[in-house]
């Protein structure tokens, strides 16, 4: 089973309002992200929330989403949210899709392509690439979770990916 971890604990200081709650088409940014994951076939969706948890939960009340609270959300580090998400996944989960909660332009087809690549190859780190630049969402297999859980600042997820760049299976995308 592949589970999604949506990183939705950011403070959105530069916007002076929660980016994930902004309108996006006929929806909001965060509901568009969740809808895309559902369309791609992911059924275990986990949102790591922070200071705006009440509003994010309200926006997603019609969806089957597990909410995990990041008490350290104010530090603004994505790593803590990923660690909380990984530590709470089901035992039968074999890979986690790391998804930005404020990226509504992700496409279900790209998520499905990443899932298909994992299913076919069993590669443990799969990252979409646009013109040789890493993007989101990306997938990490269970065998790497302990290493991510052991990371401590100043290390970041980028450091993790850089350290294992030879292990990454890139999926070329045009967006």
């Amino acid at each position: 089973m592949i589970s999604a971890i949506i990183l939705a604990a950011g403070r959105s200081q530069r916007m002076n309002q929660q980016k994930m709650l902004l309108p996006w088409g006929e929806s909001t940014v965060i509901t568009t992200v969740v809808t895309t994951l559902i369309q791609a076939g992911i059924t275990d969706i986990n949102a790591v929330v922070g200071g705006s948890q009440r509003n994010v939960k309200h926006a997603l009340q019609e969806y089957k989403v597990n909410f995990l609270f990041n008490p350290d959300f104010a530090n603004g580090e994505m790593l803590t949210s990923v660690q909380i998400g990984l530590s709470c996944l089901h035992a039968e989960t074999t890979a986690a899709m790391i998804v930005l909660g404020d990226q509504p332009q992700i496409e279900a087809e790209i998520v499905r392509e990443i899932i298909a690549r994992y299913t076919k190859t069993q590669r443990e780190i799969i990252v979409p690439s646009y013109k040789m630049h890493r993007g989101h969402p990306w997938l990490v297999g269970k065998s790497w979770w302990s290493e991510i859980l052991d990371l401590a600042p100043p290390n970041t997820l980028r450091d993790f990916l850089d350290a294992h760049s030879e292990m990454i299976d890139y999926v070329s995308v045009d967006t």
Side-chain angles (χ1 to χ4, degrees), residues 134-149:
R134 293 183 198 145
H136 285 87
W138 57 281
L139 181 140
V140 60
K142 197 171 199 169
S143 66
W144 293 103
W145 296 358
S146 61
E147 186 171 333
I148 294 172
L149 290 168

Side-chain angles (χ1 to χ4, degrees), residues 120-141:
K120 180 179 179 184
T121 68
Q122 293 300 299
R123 295 289 300 265
E124 292 279 310
I125 306 172
I126 302 176
V127 178
S129 172
Y130 175 71
K131 295 185 178 181
M132 303 304 291
H133 294 287
R134 293 183 198 145
H136 285 87
W138 57 281
L139 181 140
V140 60

Side-chain angles (χ1 to χ4, degrees), residues 152-169:
N155 294 304
T156 65
L157 292 168
R158 177 171 287 157
D159 295 327
F160 167 79
L161 291 171
D162 288 345
H164 303 293
S165 60
E166 73 285 349
M167 302 296 296
I168 297 173
D169 186 1

Side-chain angles (χ1 to χ4, degrees), residues 1 10 21 40 42 47 56 58 63 70 82 95 98 103 110 112 169:
M1 177 170 78
L21 301 173
I42 296 180
V56 172
H58 179 72
Y63 299 89
N70 179 353
V82 171
I98 310 300
Q103 193 178 44
I110 291 171
R112 283 191 291 270
D169 186 1

Side-chain angles (χ1 to χ4, degrees), residues 102-118:
D102 62 356
Q103 193 178 44
Q105 67 273 33
I106 65 170
E107 298 173 6
E109 183 56 37
I110 291 171
V111 175
R112 283 191 291 270
E113 191 172 337
I114 293 169
I115 292 169
R117 179 77 61 93
Y118 172 73

Side-chain angles (χ1 to χ4, degrees), residues 8-11 18 20-21 30 47-61 65-73:
R11 296 188 316 166
Q18 189 52 256
M20 289 167 284
L21 301 173
I30 190 73
V48 182
V49 295
S52 299
Q53 68 173 316
R54 191 182 75 215
N55 294 333
V56 172
K57 285 179 179 180
H58 179 72
L60 296 173
Q61 66 186 351
V65 174
N66 304 310
F67 294 97
L68 310 167
F69 180 68
N70 179 353
D72 198 26
F73 70 90

